Amino acid sequence: MEITFEHVTHSYNVGSPTASLGLDDVSMTIKDKKFTAIVGQTGSGKSTLVRHINALLKPTSGTILAGDRKITSETNNKNLKSLRKNIGMVFQFPESQLFEDTVQKDIMFGPMNFGASEEVAKEAAQKMIKLVGLDESYLQKSPFDLSGGQMRRVAIAGVLASDPETIILDEPTAGLDPVGRAEIMGLFKDLQLKGKTIILITHNMDDVANFADEMAVIHSGKLIATGLPEDVFNRQDLLKEDLLSLPKSAEFAKELSSQGFHFDKLPITIEALGTKIKQQLGD
């Protein structure tokens, strides 16, 4: 699903002394079936941005086009069920949203809420539990008897069970160990390669470098950069102003530059860094 923001502004607490801008005249397009990362400092407006996509927030001014749906300040909450079925959101610490007495019921909740029969919802639960790396024996367990990482997987399975076209990830790997993070990110990359649109909010620049096709940088509610990760991470104006941090591979390349290595562009993945080093060592 292609998603377009057209001059979108969002103001919090309009008319009060605490009024503030969450988004300031943002125009951008999130491409269909691509993996787009949205980065920026804490409080920059990333979460505000993505909550407009499924109308959890409405713009103060401007328009969002999500597929064939238009969202404006006049959009009401009626008839949003089809939009929200097609745009799934995995919140930071999604396990806090678990509430049923079994894993199966928790995963079934989304599909049944959107009109699926009990039989169809059970089939979805059986399929999704495997997709997130757990076997079917977990379906009859209480989600509250699971480890934190397992609860995270169950919560993600619940979002995927409704088969959304677009999946929004708000720091989905927060608190996970490196192995768990790699597995979860690999799952979402695989879903994107199978035709889903993935939108990732993250502070982890290595995840952006390794998984994203496109990236956008938000600062103080403004969109300040978009493009291919390799190009954006080489924007010296952003780096000098501390508006963007670098993936570990690019940081290491900067250190190597002071030791005689030369990089036309900072490599942003381990594979790209290794290739550049081998070329300069004559291998």
Side-chain angles (χ1 to χ4, degrees), residues 230 234 236 249-280:
E230 182 183 20
N234 276 276
Q236 295 303 310
S249 296
E251 289 282 9
F252 189 52
K254 284 183 67 175
E255 294 181 16
L256 290 175
S257 296
S258 65
Q259 299 176 30
F261 286 84
H262 174 73
F263 303 95
D264 293 325
K265 274 188 170 184
L266 293 174
I268 64 172
T269 65
I270 291 175
E271 292 77 10
L273 176 62
T275 298
K276 293 291 186 182
I277 290 174
K278 286 181 180 179
Q279 289 173 347
Q280 295 187 51

Side-chain angles (χ1 to χ4, degrees), residues 238-250:
L238 301 179
L239 299 174
K240 286 178 181 178
E241 296 295 325
D242 291 325
L243 299 175
L244 184 65
S245 56
L246 288 171
K248 291 184 179 66
S249 296

Side-chain angles (χ1 to χ4, degrees), residues 124-169:
Q126 291 169 347
K127 181 179 179 181
M128 290 304 115
I129 198 71
K130 295 176 184 175
L131 186 65
V132 298
L134 300 174
D135 63 58
E136 288 189 37
S137 67
Y138 283 86
L139 291 173
Q140 302 311 317
K141 296 181 179 181
S142 167
F144 306 106
D145 291 336
L146 306 181
S147 69
Q150 291 167 342
M151 291 174 73
R152 180 75 54 91
R153 292 170 190 267
V154 169
I156 290 170
V159 173
L160 299 181
S162 298
D163 195 26
E165 295 178 32
T166 297
I167 304 168
I168 300 171
L169 313 170

Side-chain angles (χ1 to χ4, degrees), residues 69-205:
R69 293 296 301 269
K70 179 183 289 188
I71 302 166
T72 70
S73 60
E74 303 300 317
T75 299
N76 60 40
N77 288 325
K78 294 181 179 179
N79 304 314
L80 288 176
K81 186 167 280 191
S82 62
L83 175 70
R84 290 174 177 170
K85 178 184 183 299
N86 286 323
I87 302 174
M89 181 172 285
V90 178
F91 292 96
Q92 189 175 12
F93 303 113
E95 56 270 24
S96 64
Q97 298 169 259
L98 300 176
F99 63 93
E100 293 281 11
D101 58 359
T102 69
V103 166
Q104 179 172 266
K105 289 180 181 179
D106 239 313
I107 299 174
M108 289 172 61
F109 176 82
M112 293 184 70
N113 185 50
F114 290 124
S117 67
E118 184 175 350
E119 181 181 358
V120 169
K122 280 184 178 179
E123 290 176 357
Q126 291 169 347
K127 181 179 179 181
M128 290 304 115
I129 198 71
K130 295 176 184 175
L131 186 65
V132 298
L134 300 174
D135 63 58
E136 288 189 37
S137 67
Y138 283 86
L139 291 173
Q140 302 311 317
K141 296 181 179 181
S142 167
F144 306 106
D145 291 336
L146 306 181
S147 69
Q150 291 167 342
M151 291 174 73
R152 180 75 54 91
R153 292 170 190 267
V154 169
I156 290 170
V159 173
L160 299 181
S162 298
D163 195 26
E165 295 178 32
T166 297
I167 304 168
I168 300 171
L169 313 170
D170 192 347
E171 298 281 3
T173 61
L176 295 182
D177 60 37
V179 173
R181 187 180 76 239
E183 290 176 349
I184 293 298
M185 290 304 302
L187 165 64
F188 287 118
K189 184 63 179 180
D190 186 55
L191 288 169
Q192 179 251 320
L193 294 174
K194 291 178 179 177
K196 303 289 188 185
T197 301
I198 306 294
I199 303 168
L200 170 71
I201 294 176
T202 186
H203 287 95
N204 189 308
M205 297 302 107

Side-chain angles (χ1 to χ4, degrees), residues 12 55 154 228:
Y12 288 105
V154 169
L228 301 176

